[in-house]
Amino acid sequence: MLPAVGWRELVDLPKLGLERIPAKIDTGARTSSLHGHVIEQFERDGKPFVRFSVDWDGEAHTCEAVQVDRRGITSSNGETQQRFVIKTPLRIGTTEFRAELSLADRSVMQFPILIGRTALRRRFVVDSGLSWLQSRA
């Protein structure tokens, strides 16, 4: 049986040095999204990387990750935006896995990270009536 998550959880992005980020669990979204502003693109060991800033908890956190794609992603308002996509470990409760996250301006959103159904598939079931089921106190 798969573990349950609520409609909001605290998540970690350990390789980015980000912990206990409030996340909205959204089965209506295919792709997960992180509030991040791209600073620059560069190469390391022949692989494309992106350096970006995650403004969260009153601080700007500078992060780097492998850029796996740049693709059109349709936002909740129906507009398609070209976004950088990174792949990095994501931890929800005790479950850690590599997830694709698009970098987007989520400054007007309540949650700095949105976890979409591709990341949840075959890992969790969602109980939309509860919160913080996998979030440690």
Side-chain angles (χ1 to χ4, degrees), residues 1 12 19 25 36 44 50 64 84 89 106 116 119 122-123 126 131 133-134 136-137:
M1 184 147 176
D12 301 327
E19 294 183 337
I25 307 300
R44 181 180 295 148
V50 63
E64 294 179 356
F84 288 94
R106 295 186 53 81
R122 292 187 292 278
R123 293 184 181 101
V126 179
S131 298
L133 297 178
Q134 295 294 318
R136 58 195 188 281

Side-chain angles (χ1 to χ4, degrees), residues 39-114:
I39 298 170
E40 69 175 316
Q41 295 174 268
F42 62 98
E43 276 195 16
R44 181 180 295 148
D45 300 325
K47 294 181 181 174
F49 271 73
V50 63
R51 183 173 293 121
F52 55 98
S53 175
V54 177
D55 301 328
W56 171 70
D57 204 23
E59 275 185 61
H61 304 267
T62 301
C63 306
E64 294 179 356
V66 174
Q67 175 192 330
V68 295
D69 201 1
R70 186 165 186 183
R71 66 176 80 123
I73 295 179
T74 304
S75 64
S76 58
N77 65 10
E79 289 181 22
T80 299
Q81 306 167 335
Q82 286 295 312
R83 296 187 191 170
F84 288 94
V85 178
I86 62 167
K87 198 165 196 175
T88 190
L90 169 67
R91 185 170 43 238
I92 302 174
T94 58
T95 304
E96 187 171 319
F97 54 95
R98 289 179 58 76
E100 283 192 355
L101 300 164
S102 71
L103 300 176
D105 181 358
R106 295 186 53 81
S107 57
V108 297
M109 305 295 184
Q110 183 178 359
F111 296 92
I113 187 167
L114 179 140

